[in-house]
Amino acid sequence: MKLFTCANCQNILYFENTLCEKCKSTLGYWPAGNRMVPLVADGAAWRGIAEGVQPDATLPALRTCANAEHAACNWLLDANDSTVLCASCRHNRQIPSLADPARAELWRRVQRAKNRLFYSLLSLGLPVAAPDGTSDGLIFDVLADPPDQAADHIMTGHQNGRITLALAEADDAERERRRTLFDEPYRSLLGHLRHEIGHYYWDVLVRDGSALEPCRALFGDDRSDYPAALARYHREGPPPDWAGAHVSAYATAHPWEDFAESFAHYLHIVDTLEMAAYFGVRLRPVLPGPEARAMAAELKFDPESGGDFTAIIDAWLKLTSMANNLNRCMGSADLYPFTLTETVVRKLGFIHTIVGAQRPRA
Ligand SMILES: [Zn+2]
Ligand SMILES: [Zn+2]
Ligand SMILES: [Zn+2]
């Protein structure tokens, strides 16, 4: 994620802002330009403004996403667009009933995570195939558990481009209960979405791309029985040496889970590094000795150009060493409670390569 500036007053803006606190402009996120736009009303539409409340001639007449009505989206679309939902929300298929204020609030949390996911997908140039009647676009179903206590819970998962997210995962207490139950060091809405989208891009970039054989060489043979593998994992847990070649215990369940977990981590890494770069974070430990000198780093990641993966991982290890220790100073859990072995880094590097191949050439 990047930082933004207000084109009217130069205030620093953040991705979820809807109002510039300095010039009081209404704000929206314009995905086509990857910018936050200060707005003035223009009849039924909105106009983007530049410095001094001048109209920004580079922008079309704009409209807010229909989900702004529920305080559930701050994205903009072209006022002449034939749909009322933005580039992220038009992939929503089922959402919970908004008549229940508690459910509506949980859904808003899902929306915030999903818009952050779409920020990454769009800025990395990953295909999301507009759902214009084709069966291979991305679709999100956010579902609440049925009221019948005896009925099965909604399972978060992916199938053929359809991502189901259990609304219960937006409830902090319930998600923490599940995190403890499954003995996970980290569980978040954004993490779920980044994992499930990994399954989608396995279909699109690996299976339907030309990366199946190199993927199998790294992640293992995905033709092994998937339901049986998941059942075995839930029965027996991971093998004792799982951390040598897997980013998480769950990644050992099946090669598809390994790929999805690795894909999620790739998005964690590049999104967080981009933000560190926007803040101009530089590391220079105030200690003597070669190890301290080797910790020095300038953190940078540009999603539009990608860059060398060795440098990305080097920056990431240094940044997370600092961030984990900052969190420990606050008595909080580590920001990044994972260890990246050489094998795991090779898997992440493979994802960097196939994601990079999607990037539009300048
Ligand atoms: Zn402003
Ligand atoms: Zn929207
Ligand atoms: Zn999975």
Side-chain angles (χ1 to χ4, degrees), residues 105-118:
E105 177 49 32
L106 296 180
W107 176 64
R108 278 191 278 275
R109 296 179 191 174
V110 173
Q111 281 281 105
R112 280 196 289 275
K114 192 180 59 81
N115 280 1
R116 280 185 174 254
L117 173 76
F118 267 85

Side-chain angles (χ1 to χ4, degrees), residues 65-68 72-75 85-90 111 114-115:
C65 173
N67 281 330
C73 187
N74 67 341
W75 286 33
L85 293 170
C86 73
S88 168
C89 294
R90 67 188 59 168
Q111 281 281 105
K114 192 180 59 81
N115 280 1

Side-chain angles (χ1 to χ4, degrees), residues 214-292:
C215 187
R216 281 177 179 158
L218 267 175
F219 292 86
D221 193 340
D222 54 89
R223 288 165 293 195
S224 57
D225 187 331
Y226 182 64
L230 292 196
R232 188 186 58 241
Y233 177 79
H234 289 302
R235 199 174 54 239
E236 297 169 13
D241 60 348
W242 66 267
H246 299 86
V247 73
S248 67
Y250 186 59
T252 61
H254 185 275
W256 285 337
E257 297 308 330
D258 193 10
F259 183 88
E261 284 287 89
S262 302
F263 199 93
H265 278 256
Y266 180 72
L267 294 181
H268 293 333
I269 291 169
V270 297
D271 195 52
T272 308
L273 268 181
E274 186 187 17
M275 181 55 79
Y278 264 89
F279 270 97
V281 173
R282 284 169 174 71
L283 303 184
R284 196 166 58 85
V286 187
L287 287 171
E291 281 77 14

Side-chain angles (χ1 to χ4, degrees), residues 175-187:
R175 191 181 58 257
E176 178 64 13
R177 189 189 69 78
R178 295 180 186 189
R179 187 190 71 73
T180 310
L181 179 70
F182 296 122
D183 197 18
E184 295 167 341
Y186 168 91
R187 190 176 181 98

Side-chain angles (χ1 to χ4, degrees), residues 155-335:
M155 297 287 288
T156 294
H158 164 267
Q159 193 165 35
N160 299 326
R162 175 195 174 206
I163 289 175
T164 304
L165 186 74
L167 185 68
E169 292 284 346
D171 180 285
D172 293 341
E174 175 58 19
R175 191 181 58 257
E176 178 64 13
R177 189 189 69 78
R178 295 180 186 189
R179 187 190 71 73
T180 310
L181 179 70
F182 296 122
D183 197 18
E184 295 167 341
Y186 168 91
R187 190 176 181 98
S188 74
L189 282 178
L190 188 50
H192 277 304
L193 293 172
R194 286 175 172 165
H195 172 99
E196 301 307 335
I197 207 79
H199 287 301
Y200 176 67
Y201 287 116
W202 187 89
D203 287 358
V204 173
L205 305 181
V206 175
R207 183 195 64 196
D208 304 341
S210 53
L212 198 48
E213 286 316 314
C215 187
R216 281 177 179 158
L218 267 175
F219 292 86
D221 193 340
D222 54 89
R223 288 165 293 195
S224 57
D225 187 331
Y226 182 64
L230 292 196
R232 188 186 58 241
Y233 177 79
H234 289 302
R235 199 174 54 239
E236 297 169 13
D241 60 348
W242 66 267
H246 299 86
V247 73
S248 67
Y250 186 59
T252 61
H254 185 275
W256 285 337
E257 297 308 330
D258 193 10
F259 183 88
E261 284 287 89
S262 302
F263 199 93
H265 278 256
Y266 180 72
L267 294 181
H268 293 333
I269 291 169
V270 297
D271 195 52
T272 308
L273 268 181
E274 186 187 17
M275 181 55 79
Y278 264 89
F279 270 97
V281 173
R282 284 169 174 71
L283 303 184
R284 196 166 58 85
V286 187
L287 287 171
E291 281 77 14
R293 278 198 295 281
M295 272 294 280
E298 184 183 344
L299 305 179
K300 49 186 173 191
F301 178 75
D302 177 1
E304 272 153 38
S305 60
D308 169 41
F309 193 66
T310 309
I312 289 171
I313 283 296
D314 180 66
W316 179 244
L317 295 177
K318 292 169 178 174
L319 175 67
T320 52
S321 169
M322 179 189 75
N324 287 347
N325 281 288
L326 290 176
N327 277 21
R328 289 170 203 174
C329 292
M330 281 298 293
S332 300
D334 283 2
L335 179 83

